[in-house]
Amino acid sequence: MVKEKTTEGVEVNIGDRFPLTIRRLGVNGSGIGYYKHKVCFVPGALPGEIVVAEATRILPRFLEAKIHRIRKRSKHRVTPKDSYADVAGGFELANLAYPQQLAFKRQVVLDSLEKFQPYGYRNYDVRKTIAAPEEYYYRNKAQFQVRMVDGHVAAGLYKPNSHDLVDMQECAVQMPRTMKVVRAVVKMIEELAIPVYNEEINSGIIKTIVVRESWTTGEIQLTFITNTPKLIHKRQLLEMIEAQLPEVVSVMQNVNPGDTPLVWGDEMIHLAGKETITESLMGLDFELSARSFLQLNPEQTEVLYELASEALELDENDTLIDAYAGIGTIGLSLASRVKEVRGMEVIPEAVDDANKNAKLNGIENAHYEVGKAEEIMPKWLDEGLKFDALVVDPPRAGLDDELIKQILKVKPRKFAYVSCSMASLARNLRRLTSVYHVDYIQPIDMMPQTARCEAVVKLSLRR
C-alpha cells in the first residue's frame, strides 16, 4: 500500500475511498473536487455529482482518483456509445450530454483567459461553441497501436497515462469504414503471423496501423508503421488487402525503429496502389500523402476555414501569409480572394503536397516553402515582400517566440489565429495584445466526445 503525506498534511493511501462532490470539469475533461481542501481529479465524474472516489495517484499538489460508486448522478450524464469509453483515452466527454460538451468547451476558453490574463480579457467576446453536424462517426483517420494482448493481435488506443492497450473492435467516433479496414488488417496480421512490436524487448515489426478515409471520394489509405524496413509476408499481405479491401487504394510503410515516443519515422516506402488519396474541401481537391496533416473532422473543417476567412475580411489586393500551413488547406481555400498566398511548413512532404495541390487546382498565386515560420517570414521580408494578412494555425505548443516578435514588428493589419490549445492561445495573447485588440473568439467543436477544443480568433491593430 502506497502512503504519502501531501504538502498540506493530508494523509492518503492509494486505494483509500472517500466521498467527493464534483465542482467542475478540468481542461482535460476530468471531474474536479476537493478532499480536505486538496484538488482531486476524477476522470468520468461530472459537475454536481457526488461520488465515492478511490485514490489512484498521490502527488504533492493534487490527487487523482477513479469512481468507485456514484451516489448522486448528474442529470446530464448519458450512456456512451462505446463500452470502453471509460477506459481508453480519447473519449473524455462521452458520458456528458452534447449541449453540455459545447458549454464546457467555451468554458475552457474562459478559464484559460482567466489563468493567463491577456490585456482586456474580461471584455473579450467569447462566443458560444459551434456544434459539429455529427456527434459520432466523423473522424477520418484511425491511428491505432498494434500489440499482442492475451495471445492475439490487438489494435487500439492506450488507457490514459499508460501503455496498456485497449483492443478496439468498434469506435463510434471513427468513420465506420476506417474501423472495417483496421479490423480486417488485424486479422490478416494474425493469420500471416507477422510479428507485432513488443516495446519491452524492442522486437517485432508492426507498431502502428494508420487508416485515413476521404470524406468526399471514399478512397482509403493504409499505412503500416514498422520497427524495421523488412516486412515479412509482404506479398501475401498486399494480396489479401487487394482481394478483401478494394476501397484501399494506397498502401504505404513508414519505418520508425526503436522505442521512441514519436509515432512516425523519416523513411517512407510505397507498397501498393497510389501514393496519395484525394480529399475535397471548400470546392478544391487536395492530394494527401500518408504524413500530411488534415483536420480529423472534414465536414467541420469547412466551417473552420470559413470562420478564418470571415475573421480575415480579405480582399483582392491582399497578400496573405499562411503560417504552419500543412498541406495548404487554409491558404489555398482563400487564394481566390487575395492577390497572393505565401505559406511555410516544416514537414517537406506537406510542402510538396501544398505546391502540388496548388497546381492540381489551377492556383497560380500560391507558393509554399519548407522551414519554420519564424525563419521564412523574415527572409521574405528581406526580399521585399509586403503582406497585409496573416493566418496562423500552430500546433498545441502555440506560436514560436521568434514568430511572435516578427508579428509584433511587422504588424499585419488583418490577423486570424486558429488554435487547438486554449492554454497556448491565452499565453500567446498576453504578448500579442500589446499591439492587437481581440475582436472575438469563436470556439468550434471539431471533435465531439473529447475534451479537445478549437477556436478562431479575430485580431485587429489597436488604435
Side-chain angles (χ1 to χ4, degrees):
M1 179 177 290
V2 177
K3 187 175 184 179
E4 188 168 324
K5 184 173 285 190
T6 66
T7 52
E8 286 82 4
V10 178
E11 196 172 271
V12 186
N13 298 323
I14 296 291
D16 277 1
R17 295 172 182 167
F18 45 87
L20 194 70
T21 299
I22 305 302
R23 305 296 183 186
R24 58 190 176 89
L25 293 180
V27 66
N28 294 320
S30 291
I32 294 178
Y34 296 87
Y35 177 62
K36 297 183 178 178
H37 306 292
K38 175 163 286 297
V39 175
C40 183
F41 295 93
V42 187
L46 302 178
E49 292 188 330
I50 300 174
V51 305
V52 176
E54 181 176 320
T56 57
R57 193 175 179 211
I58 302 164
L59 294 165
R61 299 182 63 183
F62 62 89
L63 309 175
E64 292 181 358
K66 64 181 180 181
I67 298 174
H68 172 67
R69 180 164 53 89
I70 300 176
R71 288 184 175 176
K72 178 186 175 184
R73 299 174 71 87
S74 168
K75 64 181 180 180
H76 303 304
R77 177 174 284 277
V78 297
T79 301
K81 279 185 178 288
D82 289 304
S83 59
Y84 38 67
D86 59 344
V87 294
F91 301 85
E92 302 87 2
L93 302 183
N95 60 0
L96 181 63
Y98 193 55
Q100 282 64 46
Q101 292 187 31
L102 298 175
F104 161 77
K105 295 185 181 190
R106 179 177 183 269
Q107 189 61 46
V108 169
V109 179
L110 295 172
D111 290 346
S112 297
L113 294 173
E114 183 66 41
K115 178 178 179 180
F116 291 98
Q117 300 188 358
Y119 179 81
Y121 73 97
R122 286 194 174 91
N123 296 318
Y124 289 177
D125 176 13
V126 181
R127 299 177 175 179
K128 291 183 179 180
T129 308
I130 295 176
E134 300 293 337
E135 298 174 33
Y136 295 98
Y137 308 117
Y138 61 84
R139 194 170 176 137
N140 62 2
K141 185 169 80 168
Q143 185 169 289
F144 287 174
Q145 307 302 317
V146 182
R147 300 290 185 270
M148 295 300 293
V149 176
D150 297 329
H152 292 281
V153 178
L157 302 174
Y158 292 131
K159 295 178 182 178
N161 304 314
S162 80
H163 275 205
D164 295 335
L165 191 74
V166 179
D167 188 22
M168 304 181 77
Q169 300 292 324
E170 299 174 345
C171 184
V173 296
Q174 289 288 154
M175 288 184 176
R177 295 201 312 161
T178 64
M179 291 305 298
K180 172 194 170 186
V181 172
V182 167
R183 298 320 309 176
V185 170
V186 165
K187 290 180 181 178
M188 295 174 195
I189 294 170
E190 182 155 317
E191 183 177 331
L192 294 172
I194 302 174
V196 303
Y197 187 60
N198 182 327
E199 53 196 332
E200 293 183 1
I201 57 175
N202 190 26
S203 70
I205 296 177
I206 297 180
K207 286 181 163 183
T208 307
I209 296 173
V210 183
V211 179
R212 174 147 57 187
E213 176 179 351
S214 167
W215 175 49
T216 51
T217 67
E219 295 178 327
I220 290 181
Q221 183 177 66
L222 168 63
T223 304
F224 296 97
I225 299 179
T226 61
N227 186 40
T228 65
K230 183 178 181 181
L231 179 57
I232 67 171
H233 305 311
K234 178 170 65 177
R235 181 178 58 80
Q236 297 98 313
L237 178 62
L238 294 175
E239 288 174 351
M240 293 172 77
I241 292 168
E242 183 178 14
Q244 298 178 34
L245 299 169
E247 59 268 63
V248 175
V249 300
S250 172
V251 186
M252 307 294 293
Q253 179 184 356
N254 177 264
V255 183
N256 186 23
D259 184 8
T260 167
L262 300 177
V263 175
W264 294 88
D266 294 330
E267 183 181 0
M268 190 70 72
I269 302 169
H270 177 213
L271 297 181
K274 305 188 298 180
E275 292 194 39
T276 62
I277 60 173
T278 303
E279 182 64 278
S280 297
L281 294 167
M282 306 284 286
L284 302 177
D285 292 334
F286 293 93
E287 296 292 330
L288 306 176
S289 58
R291 289 192 63 184
S292 297
F293 170 78
L294 185 70
Q295 294 281 354
L296 294 172
N297 187 336
E299 191 170 6
Q300 192 75 325
T301 297
E302 293 194 325
V303 178
L304 178 70
Y305 292 170
E306 193 55 48
L307 289 170
S309 173
E310 291 173 6
L312 286 165
E313 297 183 350
L314 298 168
D315 64 51
E316 61 186 11
N317 296 314
D318 288 332
T319 295
L320 170 68
I321 284 188
D322 177 12
Y324 304 95
I327 61 169
T329 44
I330 293 181
L332 294 177
S333 69
L334 302 177
S336 64
R337 312 181 194 193
V338 297
K339 180 174 68 175
E340 183 183 7
V341 175
R342 295 275 193 103
M344 69 286 280
E345 171 60 58
V346 295
I347 299 174
E349 299 96 326
V351 173
D352 287 344
D353 286 346
N355 287 316
K356 288 176 184 175
N357 287 326
K359 290 182 180 179
L360 177 67
N361 291 282
I363 296 172
E364 298 180 350
N365 64 335
H367 172 70
Y368 291 85
E369 290 187 23
V370 178
K372 297 179 179 178
E374 61 272 16
E375 296 173 358
I376 297 292
M377 195 163 80
K379 178 175 80 76
W380 287 342
L381 293 170
D382 289 342
E383 293 169 354
L385 178 73
K386 291 180 170 53
F387 69 97
D388 321 272
L390 173 67
V391 59
V392 298
D393 185 6
R396 294 190 66 77
L399 300 178
D400 182 271
D401 287 344
E402 287 301 316
L403 180 59
I404 293 177
K405 289 180 183 178
Q406 289 292 325
I407 293 170
L408 296 178
K409 179 181 178 181
V410 179
K411 301 182 180 64
R413 59 189 177 86
K414 299 180 179 182
F415 185 9
Y417 188 142
V418 180
S419 177
C420 62
S421 167
M422 300 309 101
S424 63
L425 169 64
R427 185 172 61 247
N428 289 163
L429 287 177
R430 289 186 65 177
R431 295 178 61 191
L432 293 171
T433 49
S434 65
V435 168
Y436 285 93
H437 174 263
V438 175
D439 290 10
Y440 60 77
I441 301 177
Q442 176 62 73
I444 176 171
D445 187 15
M446 302 294 291
M447 297 180 65
Q449 318 311 322
T450 79
R452 299 283 292 273
C453 179
E454 300 248 350
V456 175
V457 186
K458 176 176 170 55
L459 297 116
S460 58
L461 289 169
R462 287 174 58 188
R463 297 174 182 175

